[in-house]
Amino acid sequence: MASQAVHTRAARWRHGSRRSWTGWIFTGPFMMVFAFTLVVPLVYAGYLSLFRDQLIGGRSFAGLTNYRQALQDPMFWSSLGRVSIFLLVQVPVMLLLALLAALALDSARLRWAPLYRLSIFLPYAVPAVVASLMWGFMYGNQFGLVANIDSFFRVSIPDPFSSGLVLPAIGNIVTWEFVGYNMLIFYSALRVIPPELYEAADIDGAGAWQVVRGIKLPALRPAIVIATIFSVIGSFQLFNEPNILQPLSPDTISTYFTPNMYAYNLSFAGQEYNYSATVAIVMGVITVIIAYAVQLSGRRNER
């Protein structure tokens, strides 16, 4: 009996081991790609941020010196403040437009709704570089659409590349690009609402606004949280649009216009790889903290 029990336990162990290895066979390729594309670059950036290259002595261990420098760097704080203003203004406007579009498409009162849905989503399919070049041409007051309107109507439209308007001009490009993406998130959440809720509201005599306020908006709350988190991350990663427009407006779009531009120019123009990695890590930590705060706030609202 004891020998039989030992054989049974051994058979179970072999079976369990085989099952565990089967799982790793399927997840192993993803884990390898994940490690080489995310974990390894993060570890290497962290390693670079702890060193400093000097003309005399070469690379030397700097500890937290680069981080102290970043926290005292006025250019870094200027770029961070700029994207923070961008986030606080552009993200609510973009999400509100996406929400209104999703509610309009879901109302079943629009004719050719699929055409409108495709038209709103289509700008998201345009690469950010192409969109920036296109809008940059329209913004040009010497050669573009603004210049043509000025000359044709003999008026003077405010320059979109002026110091007071360049950030809203970039916000307009980003909004044009991502309203359709967020609209699709909201519209997908609306389509999975159980029809029984609408039937009950109709029996109770609820109007259209009451249905939106009592059924649709509560059902959209998780989708709004997700879209907000994505938008927060995207705002702090702002790079393509100002970087493409910078040659058109070098006086108002500086090399440290956003934190990502600052890190990019530190690395590829200034050859300060160590400090560039430090700025990137600090921005990554700030982004994670704010995104997590948004997620916690969304969970509290759901409760």
Side-chain angles (χ1 to χ4, degrees):
M1 293 293 293
S3 176
Q4 184 178 0
V6 171
H7 285 299
T8 302
R9 285 196 296 268
R12 288 177 179 175
W13 182 85
R14 287 193 297 270
H15 181 66
S17 178
R18 191 180 304 114
R19 289 177 58 187
S20 63
W21 279 108
T22 301
W24 278 107
I25 290 174
F26 284 100
T27 60
F30 166 77
M31 296 300 294
M32 291 178 61
V33 173
F34 179 80
F36 281 106
T37 58
L38 183 66
V39 177
V40 173
L42 284 176
V43 172
Y44 184 62
Y47 167 79
L48 286 178
S49 68
L50 299 176
F51 290 84
R52 173 173 290 183
D53 289 331
Q54 299 176 344
L55 294 176
I56 301 176
R59 177 171 296 183
S60 61
F61 182 74
L64 299 179
T65 303
N66 289 329
Y67 291 94
R68 286 194 293 268
Q69 180 183 347
L71 296 178
Q72 299 172 0
D73 189 346
M75 293 183 180
F76 171 73
W77 287 110
S78 175
S79 63
L80 179 59
R82 198 172 290 110
V83 295
S84 298
I85 296 173
F86 181 87
L87 185 155
L88 293 174
V89 176
Q90 186 268 337
V91 169
V93 171
M94 177 181 63
L95 294 183
L96 178 61
L97 292 176
L99 178 62
L100 293 176
L103 290 173
L105 291 172
D106 188 65
S107 66
R109 297 184 178 182
L110 291 177
R111 299 180 62 183
W112 308 305
L115 177 62
Y116 291 128
R117 185 169 65 246
L118 179 62
S119 300
I120 297 172
F121 181 75
L122 191 60
Y124 179 70
V126 178
V129 174
V130 176
S132 301
L133 291 172
M134 179 182 69
W135 281 95
F137 176 79
M138 289 192 290
Y139 286 156
N141 61 353
Q142 301 294 329
F143 54 84
L145 180 62
V146 172
N148 293 335
I149 294 176
D150 286 350
S151 61
F152 185 80
F153 292 102
R154 299 184 182 279
V155 295
S156 180
I157 298 177
D159 184 8
F161 288 135
S162 63
S163 58
L165 293 178
V166 64
L167 196 60
I170 295 174
N172 178 63
I173 300 174
V174 176
T175 301
W176 180 81
E177 289 176 313
F178 288 98
V179 161
Y181 172 79
N182 291 290
M183 178 272 298
L184 198 61
I185 293 177
F186 298 153
Y187 182 72
S188 300
L190 289 171
R191 300 305 295 173
V192 299
I193 296 177
E196 294 81 7
L197 295 179
Y198 295 124
E199 295 173 2
D202 187 53
I203 293 174
D204 292 338
W209 171 242
Q210 292 174 317
V211 171
V212 170
R213 186 177 59 183
I215 297 177
K216 293 185 177 182
L217 290 182
L220 279 172
R221 200 166 289 151
I224 292 174
V225 173
I226 293 174
T228 303
I229 292 174
F230 288 165
S231 300
V232 167
I233 296 173
S235 296
F236 281 124
Q237 291 181 342
L238 186 65
F239 175 78
N240 283 327
E241 291 79 9
N243 194 55
I244 295 297
L245 296 176
Q246 202 267 340
L248 300 177
S249 182
D251 295 333
T252 54
I253 302 179
S254 61
T255 56
Y256 56 93
F257 191 80
T258 69
N260 273 8
M261 283 186 65
Y262 187 37
Y264 175 84
N265 286 291
L266 281 172
S267 180
F268 293 97
Q271 305 298 314
E272 299 183 44
Y273 305 111
N274 304 103
Y275 188 53
S276 173
T278 305
V279 171
I281 289 177
V282 171
M283 274 307 304
V285 172
I286 293 174
T287 303
V288 169
I289 292 173
I290 295 179
Y292 185 65
V294 171
Q295 185 178 10
L296 287 181
S297 177
R299 287 179 179 177
R300 292 195 190 98
N301 291 333
E302 287 181 11
R303 293 174 185 173

